[in-house]
Amino acid sequence: MTKPALPDDLLWGVQAIATHIKRTVRQTYYLIERDLIPATKLGARTIVARRSEIDNAFSTHEFSGGNNVNALKKGSRSQRSRVGR
């Protein structure tokens, strides 16, 4: 069973998430779309995430530098091209 979120632990919107992880909004959408960071869509447009889960994801996946996001993009493309072969 999961613990209820503390109000201070919630990040409301992609802009807030991007600011927390020190990325651009576009990079943040990229990471969310590929399930590389945990986030939940509420309704049609609102995206919510927990600071604690994002921090845990970053420590697990070691997204410490901006270059790692670019490496993920390249890795994702090469993996997609291998699947079709």
Side-chain angles (χ1 to χ4, degrees):
M1 188 166 167
T2 61
K3 295 188 292 188
L6 299 173
D8 294 340
D9 193 39
L10 293 178
L11 295 167
W12 291 88
V14 176
Q15 181 64 52
I17 298 167
T19 301
H20 179 70
I21 63 174
K22 297 180 176 94
R23 301 285 187 266
T24 65
V25 172
R26 185 62 226 143
Q27 287 173 326
T28 304
Y29 271 116
Y30 179 89
L31 294 170
I32 292 169
E33 288 167 356
R34 283 151 183 82
D35 293 327
L36 296 171
I37 57 174
T40 303
K41 190 172 184 181
L42 300 176
R45 299 178 62 184
T46 305
I47 295 178
V48 179
R50 290 184 184 181
R51 276 187 181 94
S52 57
E53 289 181 0
I54 289 176
D55 293 342
N56 185 37
F58 270 67
S59 65
T60 303
H61 295 293
E62 300 179 13
F63 293 123
S64 58
N67 292 334
N68 289 338
V69 172
N70 293 330
L72 282 172
K73 289 180 184 178
K74 291 176 186 172
S76 295
R77 285 188 197 123
S78 64
Q79 288 174 355
R80 277 185 273 158
S81 64
R82 281 188 227 141
V83 172
R85 293 183 180 175

